Amino acid sequence: AQGWADAFIDLEDGDTVDDIPDKKYVTLDFCNFYGIECDADGEVLSISLGDNNMQGLISENIFDLPKLKRLDLGGNNIWFDDEDYGFGNIGNAVDLVFLNVTSSGIESFGNIDDAWSLKELYMTNTWITGEIPLEFYDLDTLEKFECVFCGLYRETHP
């Protein structure tokens, strides 16, 4: 369950939570935290922290949780990549099927085409605008996409 802490704390390369001098929280069972669902082995399956007043960059480590299937961070002013305010290394989340970033700080589709297992994507009321990029249509597993009030348009479907 220690991987969960790494997902929310931006560590230096090679460091782990154990390298932090004051690590009192490391002994806690993160699987008992509000909004966290784990399997019997303590691996994080789901993070549901919508509308929790979180702000800023979410560590790219969040997509390194090996069994993460659902990520609901809607209603928080967050993003995953400081360069384009897109989806960072979402491609590392090979089991991710559900992502809610409604009313967040997401501004681009950057790297979304790496989310090969994604089935549901909710982006209503985000800062994303412009034409839907062609890479978006490569998401063969995507069954539901919701982006109301986000300024997207589509010229033609490929």
Side-chain angles (χ1 to χ4, degrees):
Q2 190 168 324
W4 185 88
D6 292 341
F8 278 93
I9 301 169
D10 200 14
L11 302 171
E12 297 295 320
D13 285 338
D15 286 348
T16 67
V17 173
D18 289 329
D19 297 318
I20 299 173
D22 183 15
K23 55 184 178 186
K24 295 176 189 171
Y25 65 89
V26 174
T27 59
L28 298 175
D29 181 3
F30 295 111
C31 293
N32 288 324
F33 279 20
Y34 172 81
I36 307 300
E37 178 188 336
C38 298
D39 65 12
D41 297 324
E43 295 287 345
V44 176
L45 301 175
S46 174
I47 299 174
S48 296
L49 295 173
D51 297 311
N52 271 281
N53 296 316
M54 294 189 302
Q55 295 186 22
L57 177 68
I58 298 293
S59 172
E60 63 185 15
N61 296 328
I62 198 163
F63 293 122
D64 291 331
L65 294 168
K67 295 187 179 178
L68 184 65
K69 293 183 184 329
R70 296 179 57 84
L71 181 57
D72 181 354
L73 298 175
N76 296 292
N77 187 23
I78 55 92
W79 56 91
F80 303 105
D81 186 333
D82 262 343
E83 291 182 25
D84 67 359
Y85 296 91
F87 292 92
N89 64 348
I90 193 169
N92 291 353
V94 296
D95 289 339
L96 188 67
V97 295
F98 176 94
L99 178 61
N100 179 6
V101 290
T102 295
S103 299
S104 70
I106 296 291
E107 293 183 18
S108 84
F109 278 114
N111 296 335
I112 192 63
D113 56 324
D114 292 336
W116 295 108
S117 58
L118 200 59
K119 291 184 179 181
E120 295 182 53
L121 176 59
Y122 299 90
M123 296 180 61
T124 292
N125 201 28
T126 58
W127 291 97
I128 196 164
T129 61
E131 186 175 355
I132 298 173
L134 293 177
E135 296 83 10
F136 183 78
Y137 298 104
D138 290 336
L139 296 174
D140 295 332
T141 59
L142 194 63
E143 297 171 359
K144 184 164 187 175
F145 173 59
E146 185 176 287
C147 194
V148 181
F149 305 116
C150 60
L152 289 176
Y153 64 91
R154 172 178 79 166
E155 289 294 326
T156 60
H157 191 287

